[in-house]
Amino acid sequence: MSLIVIAFLGGVFTVLSPCILPVVPFVFARSDRPFLTDRLPLLAGLAGTFALLTGIGVVGLAGAAQLSQYGRWIALATLAVFGAALLFPAVAARLTRPLSSLADRIVARSETQGATRRIASSTLLGAATGLLWAPCAGPILGVILTGAALHGASWHTAAALLAYATGAASSLAVASSLGRRALDRLKRSLGVGEHLRRAMGVLVLMTVAAIATGLDTRLLALIPGAPTNGIESRLVGVLKAKQPQQRVPIMRVSLPAALPVQGRLPSLDGATTWLNSAPLSTDELRGKVVVVNFWTYSCINCLRTLPYLRTWAQRYRDDGLVVIGVHTPEFGFERDTGNVKRALANLHIGYPVAIDNDYGIWRAFGNQYWPAFYIVDAQGRVRFHHFGEGGYREAEDAIRQLLADNGKTNAARDAQAVQGSGAQAAADEVNIGSGETYVGYRQAQGFASPQRVMHDAVESYTLPTQLALNDWALTGKWNVGGEAAVSAASQARIAYRFHARDLHLVLAPSADGKPVRFRVTIDGAAPGASHGADVAADGSGVVTSARLYQLVRQTDAVVDRTFEIEFLDPGAQAYSFTFG
């Protein structure tokens, strides 16, 4: 929604750019004619033609980017040409010659229309004006095209283009009603728009360079939640509101009578390496039913899906099912292949896992969520997808149906219930009153210490006199970074007022790998029977590796509780709380 508003405002301010000069004579030529039968049809034709032409360009650009790796380079080259056109007027003039010629022919045709067909004539003239305007529509269009190149065309893209066109048409409508004096004032303001246009051309070219070199994906992996923040918001730089959660909790799904074809299985070539398998290609997987699961090993929602994925991989392996885990990191430590290998061993995952550190497979699928899985038939067509936890029965029904379609009748045998243990056990949905909470300052919410957070610097913090539900605070010396807070001295503590059966915290040992001892309390006392899988009954535990730690699993009635963890050694890295 924010991009749509920005696009509309960008269209409104198009009148400050020299690009508008070829359009102005057509608009002012009809400034003395009736609005409904002359000016409004002209503006409608202008907006419609612009939205159509640029929409076709966006779809083609995004389609090429998603088609293959070669298509992606074609898309980037096209975007580079667009950025050069913004930066250099001579390039824009050369590119616009074919459209200008077409516009001249349409203008000539519109002038032959009789007086009784004024509306049609004005609309046709507006279409010609749109042709003149579309190639140099300004910087916001560059942002929209960049977003489409990265993430694919969508209704958001179409809405942003229409908003841009509507904004520009609205400003032209106001200008036409003011008369020719407005044109003189307009000319005095053109320099501002030209400087903005050139600056955004530079930004578009820088974005192309970042995408081509893979710099964008390396940065995305270091920024929590970044894969779905969209390149548009990073370019415009004004969207500072709360970011949507990318780890998706339980979602409901129903299986249709016939599974629709949702697209082709994208290339898996984006993997930086493979674990538990040699590299797999779409050609090698032809003839198999495939489950592609996007996950990351410290994500609690992902962990709770693993019992089902492991069971499906074993239960239907002889029937031709292949389960592939695509490990796409959220935190920096998840990019370490050694950490992922240890996680696979601890989680008893034996099926193939593609390491997607550069987000190549993530982008090929157009995925935005952890966890997510896509089920592909033996012909390489995506037939079912699901985001978040849940939907396991429907997913297994889809697997069985696709295996049966592939001639595997044994797949119809009875399926036993699946149950996980520890952190992989199903969540207590009814009693979850707390949500995922990041400790690093980039996405931190609910911080309640009286002191202001000092970014990337050691500071002493204290607890407030009372914590409200879902508030948390630090006490002792901490260095709060973008991803995590690091305890800078012993006895540093974190307190959290929560409502859930389970409490988890993503932790890592000190930077040099030395283990960090900790002690947990609930409402000021040792957890006892309510201790988590990584904590003893007396509340003691040790951070030995970077992963998710289950610290609380309540056995009594779930009510509001105050959790505290005290780190007895310095160097502990705390990333995010999750609940279940």
Side-chain angles (χ1 to χ4, degrees), residues 179-199:
R180 295 190 178 275
R181 290 183 180 177
L183 180 59
D184 296 331
R185 296 179 182 176
L186 176 64
K187 290 180 178 179
R188 291 195 293 269
S189 305
L190 292 180
V192 176
E194 180 62 15
H195 290 311
L196 178 62
R197 170 185 165 86
R198 289 176 181 268

Side-chain angles (χ1 to χ4, degrees), residues 275-277 293 295-297 302-303 305-307 309-311 313 323-327 340-354 424:
L275 301 178
N276 296 338
S277 170
N293 167 239
W295 72 301
T296 188
Y297 80 83
C302 301
L303 293 177
T305 65
L306 293 181
L309 291 161
R310 287 196 303 263
T311 299
V323 174
I324 298 174
V326 178
H327 188 274
V340 181
K341 284 182 178 179
R342 283 188 290 274
L344 298 187
N346 293 333
L347 297 170
H348 307 293
I349 294 175
Y351 52 76
V353 173
Q424 298 178 46

